[in-house]
Amino acid sequence: MEMIVCRGWVACPILLEQRRRMKGARELFYYLKGGQVDFGEEHSKNCGHSQFGRIYEQGNYPEWDEDHPIHFVGHSAGAQLVRVLQQMLADKAFKGYENTNENWILSITSLSGAFNGTTRTYIDGIDPEDGRSMKPICLLQLLRLGVIIYDWLDIPCLKTYYNFGFDHFNMSWRKIGVLGLVDCLLGNSGPFASGDWILPDLTIQGSIRQNSHLNTFPNTFYFSYATKRTRKFMNSTIPSSIFGIHPMFFIRVLQMSQWRHPPHVSPPYKGYRDEDWQDNDGAMNTISMTHPRLPTEHPSYLVQNDSECQPLQPSIWYYKIVEADHIFFIVNRERAGVQFDLIYDSIFERCRKHIFRTTPPTLPNQTHQ
C-alpha cells in the first residue's frame, strides 16, 4: 500500500491555479500510473483545449491496482479531487485501463476538505444566483486577468517556479499572439470562458451538481478533519482569536462568519440557513468539511475519541472538528507545533493498523515506503 497526499485550494491568490477536479483527477491518475495525460476528446473539444497533456515517462506508483491499493490524504479541494478520481476508477473512465475499479483506493483522509462548497466563492466574486459566472467587478476578475497575462508571457524561469496549470489551453504569446491575448482578456476564449476552472465547482451549487455523481463506496474507509476558527459571542459568530489565525485568513474568517445569502436570490438548496454556514476556517465552511451532505447526506459519525470508533467500518465518513485555520496542518510543523505531529501520527497509525480489507491485512509495498 502507498500513501499519497493531495493538496488543494489554499488562499485567494491561488484560487485560479486549480483546474476542474475531473481534469485534476486525470492528471493524478497518470502521475501515478505513468503515460500521457488524456483529458478526453469530447471534454477537450467542448472546453477548447488540447486533448493531451503532460507525459509521465515513469509513473510514481505503476504497481497501483486493486491488489496494491492506495491511502489518499487530501487537503481542501484535493479531498474532493480524490473522490472524483475514485468515481472515475469505478466508471472505468481511463482509456486503456479497463480493469480499474473503486477498490484501487483503500482509504481517503480529508484535511479541511471541500465537499459541499464554500460561501467564500461568493465573497470573492462568484454570482450566488447561478454559482458559475463572475460579477463584473470583483477580486476574481483581477486575478483572472493576472493569470491570463502570466500564462501569455510564458517566461520559462517563472513557469518553472510556479505554474497555474493552464498549459493545455495554449495561451502562450508564441501560439496566440496579441489578438489571442485580447480574446482571452475579453472572456471569449480560455479556461474562464468555458468555465473549465475550479471555482464553479467550489460553490454550493457546483458541489451539489458534482456530488450527485459521486458515491461513497462500500469497501473504502473515509475519515475527515473539519477545521474552524470561529466561536459564538452574544449570538454572533466571530473569529475565535487573533494570534491563532494566520494573518492572511483573519479577515476571511470574519467575512465568512458574517456572510448572508442575498434575500432576492433563491437559496442554493431547500432548507439552507445562513447560521449553518457561519463557522469556518477562513477558506471553507466547517459544515462543508465533515462529509458529503448535499444533495443527499452520506453516512457519517462524529468522533470524540478514536477508541470509540474501532474497529473502523468502511463506507462511513468518520469526522472530527479541529480548532485550526485552513492551512494550519499543511504549511509547516513549526506553526502547528505538537498538534501537527498528533494529527499526522494518528493518520499514519490508522492507515497502517486499522484499515485493511483482507485477513491477514495487506502489507505495505516494500519498495514504496
Side-chain angles (χ1 to χ4, degrees):
M1 291 177 286
E2 184 80 345
M3 180 175 289
I4 304 296
V5 179
C6 302
R7 294 186 178 182
W9 184 39
V10 176
C12 196
I14 308 177
L15 288 181
L16 304 183
E17 78 165 289
Q18 296 289 346
R19 285 141 289 177
R20 297 192 67 158
R21 283 176 270 199
M22 183 174 292
K23 193 171 297 172
R26 288 186 179 275
E27 291 197 5
L28 180 55
F29 177 85
Y30 290 102
Y31 168 83
L32 294 170
K33 290 294 287 184
Q36 185 171 24
V37 178
D38 184 349
F39 297 119
E41 182 178 0
E42 183 178 355
H43 172 83
S44 302
K45 187 178 296 183
N46 291 339
C47 294
H49 60 70
S50 302
Q51 178 180 347
F52 299 100
R54 181 174 176 177
I55 298 175
Y56 293 96
E57 298 288 352
Q58 176 64 40
N60 284 268
Y61 193 56
E63 300 92 343
W64 184 31
D65 59 19
E66 184 174 3
D67 295 323
H68 301 85
I70 292 178
H71 297 287
F72 282 90
V73 180
H75 171 255
S76 193
Q80 187 78 323
L81 182 149
V82 177
R83 294 191 66 220
V84 173
L85 174 61
Q86 185 173 35
Q87 189 64 56
M88 294 178 74
L89 292 170
D91 295 340
K92 305 187 187 305
F94 299 97
K95 188 176 181 180
Y97 293 90
E98 285 71 29
N99 65 329
T100 64
N101 61 57
E102 66 274 13
N103 294 327
W104 284 33
I105 294 179
L106 183 52
S107 75
I108 297 176
T109 298
S110 165
L111 299 174
S112 309
F115 296 131
N116 304 285
T118 170
T119 55
R120 165 89 172 266
T121 56
Y122 311 123
I123 295 170
D124 289 340
I126 295 291
D127 191 337
E129 189 162 3
D130 62 11
R132 295 178 185 267
S133 58
M134 278 187 279
K135 299 172 186 176
I137 301 176
C138 63
L139 176 61
L140 290 180
Q141 289 285 8
L142 293 176
L143 295 173
R144 178 185 73 89
L145 298 179
V147 169
I148 290 172
I149 293 172
Y150 184 93
D151 261 40
W152 183 81
L153 291 173
D154 194 20
I155 301 173
C157 60
L158 291 180
K159 293 294 284 288
T160 300
Y161 175 73
Y162 195 85
N163 192 324
F164 286 100
F166 290 136
D167 292 342
H168 52 296
F169 278 95
N170 299 314
M171 291 190 290
S172 168
W173 64 271
R174 298 176 178 86
K175 297 182 178 179
I176 65 173
V178 175
L179 292 179
L181 172 62
V182 173
D183 213 33
C184 287
L185 292 175
L186 292 176
N188 298 324
S189 62
F192 308 105
S194 62
D196 197 29
W197 58 303
I198 190 64
L199 260 292
D201 284 346
L202 286 176
T203 63
I204 298 175
Q205 298 97 317
S207 293
I208 289 174
R209 289 191 294 267
Q210 190 169 73
N211 281 337
S212 64
H213 303 291
L214 302 179
N215 293 306
T216 291
F217 292 97
N219 295 321
T220 303
F221 295 82
Y222 302 91
F223 206 98
S224 63
Y225 295 87
T227 45
K228 59 173 290 194
R229 270 302 186 197
T230 52
R231 64 184 178 91
K232 298 296 182 182
F233 179 74
M234 298 181 65
N235 296 322
S236 295
T237 303
I238 61 172
S240 57
S241 71
I242 296 178
F243 301 107
I245 303 174
H246 194 282
M248 69 189 300
F249 280 112
F250 183 83
I251 297 299
R252 293 300 190 177
V253 172
L254 182 61
Q255 286 178 315
M256 293 179 67
S257 67
Q258 301 304 309
W259 163 258
R260 301 294 183 271
H261 194 76
H264 64 281
V265 175
S266 299
Y269 62 90
K270 185 178 180 180
Y272 170 87
R273 302 189 311 163
D274 284 326
E275 52 267 36
D276 294 336
W277 292 80
Q278 289 172 0
D279 284 327
N280 69 89
D281 65 2
M284 297 296 304
N285 309 86
T286 304
I287 190 176
S288 179
M289 295 182 271
T290 60
H291 61 285
R293 297 172 177 266
L294 304 169
T296 57
E297 187 162 5
H298 293 218
S300 65
Y301 184 87
L302 173 61
V303 177
Q304 303 289 353
N305 188 300
D306 285 347
S307 61
E308 69 189 28
C309 58
Q310 292 174 2
L312 293 172
Q313 300 297 318
S315 74
I316 297 175
W317 285 89
Y318 296 93
Y319 68 92
K320 285 185 174 182
I321 308 295
V322 181
E323 285 292 330
D325 61 41
H326 196 65
I327 58 175
F328 198 74
F329 298 113
I330 67 166
V331 175
N332 58 59
R333 181 185 178 279
E334 288 70 27
R335 179 168 179 258
V338 174
Q339 198 173 1
F340 185 96
D341 291 335
L342 293 176
I343 287 285
Y344 283 99
D345 285 348
S346 68
I347 293 173
F348 297 145
E349 181 178 2
R350 185 183 307 118
C351 290
R352 289 183 177 275
K353 296 183 179 180
H354 302 291
I355 295 178
F356 50 86
R357 292 195 187 112
T358 60
T359 306
T362 303
L363 295 176
N365 187 292
Q366 297 303 309
T367 61
H368 292 268
Q369 299 298 330

